[in-house]
Amino acid sequence: MYSDFKKFLQTEIEEIKNAGLYKGERIIVSAQGAVIKLENGKEVLNFCANNYLGLANNKQLVDAAKEALDTHGYGMASVRFICGTSDLHKKLEAKIAEFFGTEDTILYAACFDANGGVFEPLLGEEDAIISDSLNHASIIDGVRLCKAQRYRYANADMQDLEKQLQEAQKNRFRLIVTDGVFSMDGNVAPLDKILALAEKYNSMVMVDESHSAGVVGETGRGVTELFNKRGEVEIITGTLGKAFGGAIGGFTTGKKEVIDMLRQRSRPYLFSNSIPPLVAAAGVKMVEMMSSTNELQDKLHFNTKYFIDKMNKLGFDIKPTQSAICAVMLYDAKLSQDFAAALQEEGIYVTGFYYPVVPKDTARIRVQLSAAHEVEHLDKAIAAFEKIGKKLNVLK
Ligand SMILES: *Cc1c(COP(=O)(O)O)cnc(C)c1O
């Protein structure tokens, strides 16, 4: 049978390539950081990692991980409830709850698993999930695994959300679900308005803080801090793979009973391995660092404002953003690819996105700022953008 299947796959892959959608991998031979070394020996400035706080190669985190390797070994070789729970896992769960002002936390191997395992154990067919149309793929998949009735509202559109909530009044329990920061535009969910509607229409709220934790809010507590609503949403999910060190791991944090039920019934928690103790140890260190000083959060906020202000002054079309994501709008798909390639020639590493990753005719280059960037890095990137922008005639 495989020879037929092979032909089938080859044809499909060819079609992906012909559509210009084939995803390759760019190989990095150094640690993740502001400056990275590529396989060809070239060093480039990195503006497309989720390394918002620059912790991916932070000395204190590396040391904490090394120490845990010596005290706790390499892996747990078990799921949490059999014999896969170490003191470091419990410590990290408590630290994350403290950080977000929530009651309890459950760790997962990734936020993809946290989202995949959050809905099905909590809600049934009498219930409603009301989901933002731009929510992350893992939320979409998680909702698919749950029998609850599905409602969708246009991105951050409060009129549409209200309409969906009215329809969902017939359901038993309601849960509004939103990303904290939407990764393609960098806009934040209007959490103050969402919570007001949740109150009016008797609904619960879940926020995925993957792109906002460590980034948004004065001390990086995410959108609940930005809108002064800490502790007010029932469920928060997030990742250890972005601002929080960039290794691996995810979590759900929130109301005590919710977390308790997830420990009983959430399948990615029950049937998948614990995160390595060294990752938990570095995570504990990460929360301690972020709580003892605001240096990294301040630097990220400074860098973001610096970069965006200068890009706006140059005449680039920048999507309004409240995060460390800066979408430089080019609209044309080919232009976005040419622009990104030209930037790479200048030693600036970014990604151009176009349909179907973003809506048709809204191609863009997504720049992600980091506390790892120094002003000289930002200046170099801005100069390269200016040079290519003039050459390709995109400045206003
Ligand atoms: C990145 C991301 C995830 C997935 O996180 P992992 O820990 O890498 O699985 C989930 N939700 C959102 C909103 C994300 O941006």
Side-chain angles (χ1 to χ4, degrees):
M1 166 149 282
Y2 190 67
S3 62
D4 285 345
F5 190 56
K6 180 174 163 175
K7 267 192 217 125
F8 168 77
L9 290 181
Q10 283 172 334
T11 313
E12 294 267 304
I13 289 168
E14 209 46 48
E15 275 170 26
I16 295 172
K17 281 185 178 161
N18 291 339
L21 298 175
Y22 189 81
K23 290 174 198 67
E25 293 175 338
R26 307 192 284 192
I27 295 165
I28 298 167
V29 296
S30 64
Q32 185 61 277
V35 182
I36 49 172
K37 194 169 175 184
L38 306 182
E39 215 182 11
N40 61 11
K42 216 179 143 184
E43 282 195 344
V44 294
L45 290 179
N46 190 3
F47 282 88
C48 55
N50 300 312
N51 189 22
Y52 295 120
L53 294 173
L55 294 176
N57 190 29
N58 176 278
K59 172 95 172 54
Q60 290 186 59
L61 263 56
V62 171
D63 287 347
K66 280 182 181 165
E67 198 185 313
L69 262 179
D70 289 337
T71 56
H72 287 68
Y74 178 59
M76 290 305 293
S78 174
V79 299
R80 286 287 299 276
F81 80 97
I82 298 181
C83 57
T85 299
S86 81
D87 56 330
L88 294 170
H89 294 107
K90 295 313 290 180
K91 253 193 204 160
L92 178 56
E93 287 176 341
K95 284 277 174 203
I96 290 172
E98 197 184 301
F99 186 84
F100 288 99
T102 46
E103 295 173 2
D104 197 5
T105 305
I106 175 173
L107 291 172
Y108 288 85
C111 187
F112 208 105
D113 288 329
N115 286 333
V118 70
F119 302 104
E120 186 259 346
L122 298 175
L123 301 171
E125 37 191 345
E126 318 91 296
D127 305 319
I129 298 171
I130 305 125
S131 181
D132 189 289
S133 63
L134 287 191
N135 277 342
H136 190 263
S138 54
I139 293 178
I140 295 168
D141 285 8
V143 171
R144 279 187 189 142
L145 293 171
C146 173
K147 292 202 169 67
Q149 214 179 318
R150 301 166 201 170
Y151 299 83
R152 217 166 79 119
Y153 64 98
N155 178 231
D157 182 333
M158 294 299 100
Q159 263 182 338
D160 197 12
L161 172 59
E162 181 157 21
K163 207 172 109 199
Q164 304 305 322
L165 280 165
Q166 284 164 353
E167 287 220 4
Q169 288 306 299
K170 60 177 180 279
N171 296 98
R172 180 182 60 171
F173 299 123
R174 284 163 289 285
L175 178 65
I176 303 167
V177 187
T178 182
D179 281 11
V181 161
F182 296 94
S183 64
M184 287 300 144
D185 290 1
N187 58 317
V188 300
L191 189 64
D192 50 346
K193 300 193 179 81
I194 291 173
L195 279 166
L197 284 173
E199 171 97 44
K200 185 171 172 190
Y201 293 98
N202 196 22
S203 174
M204 302 178 284
V205 176
M206 168 179 150
V207 181
D208 180 340
E209 296 266 27
S210 287
H211 276 288
S212 39
V215 175
V216 170
E218 200 183 323
T219 67
R221 261 67 175 173
V223 292
T224 63
E225 180 185 11
L226 185 69
F227 289 98
N228 205 13
K229 303 288 182 194
R230 253 164 72 77
E232 286 187 37
V233 309
E234 281 78 14
I235 303 172
I236 290 173
T237 58
T239 180
L240 302 176
K242 292 183 172 122
F244 283 0
I248 187 95
F251 56 85
T252 301
T253 189
K255 299 294 181 200
K256 184 176 164 297
E257 301 73 20
V258 167
I259 305 303
D260 207 9
M261 183 55 84
L262 293 177
R263 284 192 208 282
Q264 306 314 307
R265 298 224 178 115
S266 180
R267 292 165 69 84
Y269 172 86
L270 293 173
F271 298 106
S272 189
N273 207 26
S274 312
I275 60 168
L278 67 112
V279 173
V284 170
K285 189 70 190 175
M286 175 275 299
V287 180
E288 282 171 1
M289 270 172 63
M290 288 189 63
S291 306
S292 65
T293 149
N294 214 50
E295 218 173 286
L296 294 174
Q297 297 95 313
D298 289 344
K299 193 170 171 201
L300 174 62
H301 295 154
F302 172 86
N303 284 352
T304 306
K305 185 168 176 344
Y306 183 92
F307 183 83
I308 291 174
D309 283 354
K310 297 230 161 172
M311 291 288 282
N312 272 321
K313 274 203 193 102
L314 282 173
F316 281 102
D317 181 356
I318 309 287
K319 275 251 178 193
T321 177
Q322 285 162 287
S323 63
I325 291 167
C326 168
V328 183
M329 299 307 293
L330 297 167
Y331 301 98
D332 182 71
K334 183 166 182 303
L335 179 61
S336 73
Q337 297 310 292
D338 292 348
F339 206 119
L343 281 172
Q344 196 167 323
E345 286 298 305
E346 299 289 321
I348 308 296
Y349 224 38
V350 292
T351 320
F353 290 105
Y354 54 100
Y355 182 81
V357 180
V358 293
K360 263 211 167 80
D361 302 321
T362 66
R364 68 201 62 189
I365 285 176
R366 183 177 71 175
V367 178
Q368 291 175 283
L369 284 311
S370 167
H373 293 134
E374 302 301 335
V375 168
E376 70 202 62
H377 298 141
L378 303 176
D379 284 339
K380 201 172 163 216
I382 294 160
F385 263 100
E386 185 179 12
K387 180 177 166 188
I388 310 302
K390 281 182 175 154
K391 199 156 122 192
L392 297 178
N393 209 15
V394 303
L395 296 178
K396 277 188 282 199

